[in-house]
Amino acid sequence: DQQVKQNSPSLSVQEGRISILNCDYTNSMFDYFLWYKKYPAEGPTFLISISSIKDKNEDGRFTVFLNKSAKHLSLHIVPSQPGDSAVYFCAADYQGGKLIFGQGTELSVKP
Amino acid sequence: DVKVTQSSRYLVKRTGEKVFLECVQDMDHENMFWYRQDPGLGLRLIYFSYDVKMKEKGDIPEGYSVSREKKERFSLILESASTNQTSMYLCASTDYSGGIYNEQFFGPGTRLTVL
């Protein structure tokens, strides 16, 4: 039973445009959500997070939106750059410090 | 700067072998985790540890065990490797405590192939 789902395995965007990565979850008890970025042959690195008491968090080009009623979060990257090409994982915190991850979305930003 | 290191980047083993994957973190984190990453499945938690000599099963512990004899080191053991354990293995650590979430820091991963 996949509690965190990223339904788009891949996304291709032109450089300078907006990238929108989506994530759905089923458990309303999740209280913290994170996005990680992963390059090939490297471990994931933390990108941005959001508490369940907020609906938006912004950090430079990256913004995460949380819609609790829809159990949906999204990551917006504006403007997208070729260096943003990577696999993006959303994750939810449950049972205090343990994370459950989505399947990942591979973003390709074309020059 | 937090550093999580894993003993091998690539490993090839034969079916039935006992395999040890080592992870070391240098930030005095209390919590350590082992995940495996497979295409289309994301990262799945195998085992985690909140303290020395303490371990708890994650979502997919079957076929694995762990050891945490020192705070900085967390080992994943495949008792008898099988081909379905071919995967990317990722170690992570964090200083989560008291309801305040802190990010998990990941190592570079070990690509294990079981023949």
Side-chain angles (χ1 to χ4, degrees):
Chain A
D1 181 27
Q2 191 80 21
Q3 295 189 66
V4 178
K5 293 182 183 180
Q6 294 175 257
N7 291 317
S8 298
S10 62
L11 175 67
S12 184
V13 171
Q14 208 67 31
E15 182 179 4
R17 308 291 277 259
I18 185 171
S19 296
I20 301 176
L21 295 94
N22 294 303
C23 181
D24 297 297
Y25 62 95
T26 58
N27 191 337
S28 57
M29 298 302 291
F30 291 149
D31 57 7
Y32 212 87
F33 301 90
L34 304 92
W35 285 92
Y36 278 82
K37 177 179 178 179
K38 186 179 185 300
Y39 293 116
E42 294 184 13
T45 54
F46 170 75
L47 190 58
I48 193 169
S49 63
I50 188 166
S51 165
S52 61
I53 62 173
K54 296 188 175 181
D55 55 18
K56 178 182 173 181
N57 188 28
E58 197 169 350
D59 184 2
R61 297 187 296 115
F62 303 92
T63 303
V64 57
F65 295 93
L66 176 61
N67 182 335
K68 283 192 294 183
S69 60
K71 295 191 179 69
H72 177 84
L73 64 154
S74 61
L75 174 68
H76 292 212
I77 306 174
V78 183
S80 301
Q81 299 173 354
D84 295 330
S85 297
V87 178
Y88 290 78
F89 292 98
C90 70
D93 175 66
Y94 76 115
Q95 298 181 29
K98 293 190 293 182
L99 296 179
I100 182 164
F101 285 84
Q103 304 96 314
T105 296
E106 184 170 8
L107 173 65
S108 175
V109 180
K110 300 193 183 302
Chain B
D1 209 21
V2 176
K3 193 152 188 192
V4 180
T5 56
Q6 295 183 229
S7 51
S8 305
R9 295 301 299 271
Y10 300 93
L11 211 51
V12 179
K13 295 292 181 181
R14 297 217 173 266
T15 302
E17 281 193 76
K18 191 169 185 176
V19 182
F20 293 86
L21 302 181
E22 304 284 338
C23 175
V24 177
Q25 50 94 3
D26 66 358
M27 282 302 291
D28 203 35
H29 286 168
E30 296 186 349
N31 308 321
M32 297 187 74
F33 307 81
W34 273 106
Y35 296 89
R36 62 178 282 177
Q37 181 199 354
D38 299 290
L41 296 176
L43 279 71
R44 294 178 292 166
L45 182 64
I46 305 171
Y47 265 97
F48 62 100
S49 169
Y50 285 145
D51 203 350
V52 175
K53 296 193 185 295
M54 180 271 174
K55 60 187 179 185
E56 285 195 31
K57 294 179 180 179
D59 300 317
I60 51 165
E62 296 78 18
Y64 303 95
S65 63
V66 290
S67 172
R68 192 157 181 210
E69 296 296 318
K70 293 184 178 181
K71 190 175 184 179
E72 67 272 17
R73 187 179 298 269
F74 192 34
S75 303
L76 179 69
I77 304 156
L78 286 66
E79 297 291 343
S80 178
S82 63
T83 54
N84 63 13
Q85 292 179 310
T86 292
S87 187
M88 169 70 84
Y89 289 88
L90 293 157
C91 174
S93 72
T94 188
D95 202 15
Y96 178 88
S97 61
I100 300 172
Y101 187 85
N102 294 299
E103 65 176 277
Q104 290 188 15
F105 294 88
F106 283 83
T110 296
R111 171 72 65 185
L112 173 67
T113 301
V114 183
L115 302 175

